Each structure stands twice: as C-alpha cells, then as structure tokens.
Amino acid sequence: MRIDAVRAVPTVSGFFFDDQRAIKAGATQDGFDYRGDPETEGFRRIREAGEALTVELELSSGATATGDCCAVQYSGAGGRDPLFRADEYRSVVEGVVADRLRGRDAAAFAENATLLEGLTVDGDRLHTAIRYGVSQALLDAAASATGTTMTDVLADVYDVAPATEPIPVFGQSGDERRTNAEKMLLKGVPVLPHGLFNSVEKIGPEGERLLDYVRWLSERAERIDGYDPRFHIDVYGVLGELFGPPYDRAEVVDYFADLRRAAAPYPLQIEGPMDAGSREAQIREMTTLRDGLSDAGVAVDLVADEWCNTFDDVRAFVDAGAADVVQVKTPDLGGVQRSAEAVLACRGTDTRAYLGGTCNETDVSARTCAHVALATRAAQLLAKPGMGFDEGFMIVTNEMRRTLARRGRTADATEVAADD
C-alpha cells in the first residue's frame, strides 16, 4: 500500500495560545482574556485562538490516514519552537513534505518517520508541530496498511509488550480548579487536578493559596470510598519566584513539607517548581531541591517540564536524576516516535515517564497519544485537549478502552486459529 497524495487543511485546536512570559510578568486577566502587550515573539496578543493543521494522506487502498499538526499552549517559552500559524506552514506540508512522502510504502512507519525527522527547509528542521502532525498520519497509515492498531505498530517498531490495562489518566482543571476537580473526583480520575497555578496571585504571596487548595482537595477526596488518587499540581515555575535559590534551604523544604501534610494521605507531585532559564540551570536547581527533599524525608515527587522539551532534554534530566517524573511534552518532541522513545528511555531508571502534551491539541492528536502511552506503558497520560476536563478525559479513556478491546479480540481470534 502506497502513499498517493498529501493534503493539509487549516483547522482549530482545543484551546488557546498564551504568552506565558506576559502572564508571569503580571498581565491582568479580563474575563477570559488578558489585558496588556505580548512579550513573546510571534504573539499579536497575550491570548490567541489556537490553530491546527490537519494532514491527510491518501493511500492507494482508498483509505485516508490523518494527523494534526498542533503546538503547546505556551509556545515560544522555555526553549520551545515559536508560535505555530497553520496558514504559514500549509505550503511546507503540501510542498517539501508531500514531495518526499508520495509513493512510499505506507506500512513502513519507522523509515517514513525517520525521513520526516531529517527534512529541512532552507537549512532549518521542520517546525515541531509539522513533525508531530505528519508522524501521526504516518502512524495511522501504517496501522491501516498492516490491519492492526497504532499501538501494535509502535510496539513492533520498539519490540516492546504493550499495556494490557488503560494507562492512568491525568486530568487538567484549567482555572476552574475546584469545579473541575470535583468532576474528576466523581469520575474517579487516577491523577488530578493540574490546577493551573501559573501566577503569584493564584499561589499566594507566601504560597498560602496553594496550600489551602491542596488541603481542600484532600478533604474532598476522602469523602469518596475506595478512591486512591495521586495529586499532581503544576506551578509553572512560580515557587521559584516566591523562594529563589538555593532550593535545599530550610524555608523551601519546610514549605514542601507543608504541602505534603496538606495532601495526606494521597501521593503528591509538583510540576515545574522553578524556571531557571536554561536546561543546565534547571537540572541543577531541580537536583538541588530533590536532594533537599530527600535528605529531609519529604515525600513530594518533582516533575520536570520547563526546559525538558526534546528527547535529548528528557535524557539529560533522567541521567542527572533531576526529577522523579519527566513530562514527555508530545508536540515539543516532533514526531510521535520521539515521544515513544522518550518514554522508553525512562525504563530501568528511577524516573517515571508522564506522556503529557497540551490542552491546545486536538482530538486526533490526543487519540494518537493514547496509542503511544499503551505501547510504551507510560506512567500516566494527560487528558486532552481542552480545559473543560470532561471532553479530554473521554477522548483518551475511550481510545484506550477501544484499542484494548480490539487487541483482545485479535488475540482471541489468533488463539482459536492456532487451536484449529
């Protein structure tokens, strides 16, 4: 089965692009919007409607394989690629990418994905969003060509045994952090609630609002019998603004101990405690904090996000022992195979892999990531896209359950055939 044609269609993503630098600098929220001037290159305003670029591969069988090019909410921040404009990149997909993919074997995912990763335009690699979306379509094409699932294609490429149960889903609340957390609790979400604590105002000038929220969350969870969630709070580097280095000093460790007590009896992990401005500095400061917590016996896990964007970044954080969990931020790694490789790079280490991404993705990219998570047995999978929680949770949960059911039926049919 061949790839006969490539199309690109400008579409919409599940949330917005936000200028993180401007928000951290104190941009005033005005309803759902922000007032003020953008500070990150490429932004026309602080909050902009998210964009996507759907890629369709026409196969010689008559089938169509699909993927969505999309980028993270906080594009252009923390070492990431610049803001993704669908109209600007459509010609790249239908030009240089299409020229190289037409006529290729649709079943050869690994070879096609490697070719895509190496493509350049005027000496520059393709934007991560393009590599992300086109690789999704290539994975879909391979599954169609081989009559299997995208999970099976990846598992075969990396010679691994896929998960036989759904991967724990991590719900994200957006700014409706109490209402959406209540929804998560009622639905029994394994990991929650993200919280979107991306400013000093939300955390509190002394961290008191975050403490109150974690305490409230624990109290609400205890009301549900038989429920044993893990709490995961993203603070977008703001705790670093409150405390500053060195992060192993008593004031910092004591605050994390307070968070641990507030979360009890549930496990707690804090994402992005500081933003040190570079990968090397981030690894150094995260390691210092992690060592300080370990020495004090404070059982709070640290999650790497800022400056942990590429496969090489993930490996650097893992090798340095700088985090208990690394977020594999799927759109930032480029091709989906790179996300799979990043998760697998955590095997045999004491660092868990969280297959994340962004609220600003699409239903197509989210479903593809569910297959990456199943194939690699990630520690947790982000519910995406959007910030309403319910929709993203439904999309990734149902995709995993459908895939596992399909793989189970295939295995049963194989066993029957063998018996005959």
Side-chain angles (χ1 to χ4, degrees), residues 359-393:
C359 56
N360 196 43
E361 295 192 49
T362 72
D363 57 323
V364 171
S365 68
R367 288 199 299 270
T368 305
C369 287
H371 291 274
V372 177
L374 287 172
T376 60
R377 297 176 179 256
Q380 64 188 56
L381 169 66
L382 182 66
K384 57 185 182 181
M387 280 291 194
F389 162 66
D390 298 283
E391 298 83 358
F393 179 66

Side-chain angles (χ1 to χ4, degrees), residues 100-418:
R100 296 300 302 275
L101 291 182
R102 278 192 295 267
R104 293 189 65 85
D105 181 2
F109 172 71
E111 293 83 355
N112 293 336
T114 298
L115 180 148
L116 176 69
E117 284 291 315
L119 290 181
T120 60
V121 176
D122 297 328
D124 295 327
R125 296 183 72 188
L126 301 178
H127 193 291
T128 48
I130 294 178
R131 287 180 270 145
Y132 188 46
V134 177
S135 68
Q136 295 165 34
L138 291 172
L139 184 59
D140 189 20
S144 179
T146 56
T148 59
T149 69
M150 289 187 277
T151 296
D152 290 295
V153 172
L154 287 170
D156 287 345
V157 167
Y158 295 106
D159 192 24
V160 293
T164 56
E165 297 290 336
I167 301 300
V169 175
F170 170 36
Q172 54 183 336
S173 66
D175 277 322
E176 295 296 325
R177 58 187 59 83
R178 292 183 184 258
T179 298
N180 280 333
E182 294 275 17
K183 293 180 180 181
M184 296 175 200
L185 295 170
L186 290 173
K187 291 186 175 182
V189 175
V191 189
L192 73 157
H194 185 269
L196 195 65
F197 285 93
N198 60 353
S199 69
V200 172
E201 179 184 4
K202 294 175 183 177
I203 285 180
E206 297 182 356
E208 71 279 4
R209 291 174 187 162
L210 176 58
L211 276 170
D212 288 344
Y213 178 77
V214 174
R215 191 174 298 112
W216 169 84
L217 188 64
S218 178
E219 291 170 354
R220 299 298 291 180
E222 286 192 273
R223 299 183 183 186
I224 302 176
D225 292 337
Y227 182 41
D228 188 25
R230 174 178 294 272
F231 295 159
H232 180 138
I233 308 289
D234 192 349
V235 296
Y236 292 87
V238 177
L239 291 181
E241 297 178 27
L242 295 186
F243 295 104
Y247 292 105
D248 56 353
R249 69 185 193 277
E251 179 186 10
V252 181
V253 172
D254 288 348
Y255 180 75
F256 274 80
D258 290 342
L259 286 173
R260 170 64 265 163
R261 284 188 288 271
Y266 306 104
L268 175 66
Q269 48 199 43
I270 299 294
E271 180 176 344
M274 77 290 290
D275 184 343
S278 70
R279 186 178 82 177
E280 292 73 19
Q282 187 75 3
I283 288 175
R284 181 178 63 250
E285 303 298 10
M286 289 274 289
T287 302
T288 298
L289 175 56
R290 191 180 184 215
D291 288 345
L293 296 179
S294 177
D295 291 345
V298 178
V300 176
D301 286 349
L302 301 182
V303 185
D305 181 6
E306 278 75 20
W307 303 101
C308 188
N309 303 319
T310 67
F311 176 82
D312 288 341
D313 293 340
V314 170
R315 286 298 301 266
F317 275 83
V318 172
D319 290 346
D324 300 279
V325 182
V326 290
Q327 178 177 182
V328 177
K329 212 168 184 75
T330 52
D332 288 333
L333 271 80
V336 291
Q337 77 282 0
R338 299 299 281 167
S339 291
E341 291 163 6
V343 174
L344 293 174
C346 295
R347 288 194 173 185
T349 75
D350 64 352
T351 305
R352 304 188 303 279
Y354 147 40
L355 193 70
T358 175
C359 56
N360 196 43
E361 295 192 49
T362 72
D363 57 323
V364 171
S365 68
R367 288 199 299 270
T368 305
C369 287
H371 291 274
V372 177
L374 287 172
T376 60
R377 297 176 179 256
Q380 64 188 56
L381 169 66
L382 182 66
K384 57 185 182 181
M387 280 291 194
F389 162 66
D390 298 283
E391 298 83 358
F393 179 66
M394 172 189 67
I395 288 170
V396 300
T397 298
N398 290 354
E399 186 70 13
M400 286 193 289
R401 291 182 181 180
R402 286 190 294 260
T403 300
L404 290 169
R406 180 181 172 189
R407 295 192 74 251
R409 288 194 298 271
T410 302
D412 290 343
T414 301
E415 289 178 5
V416 170

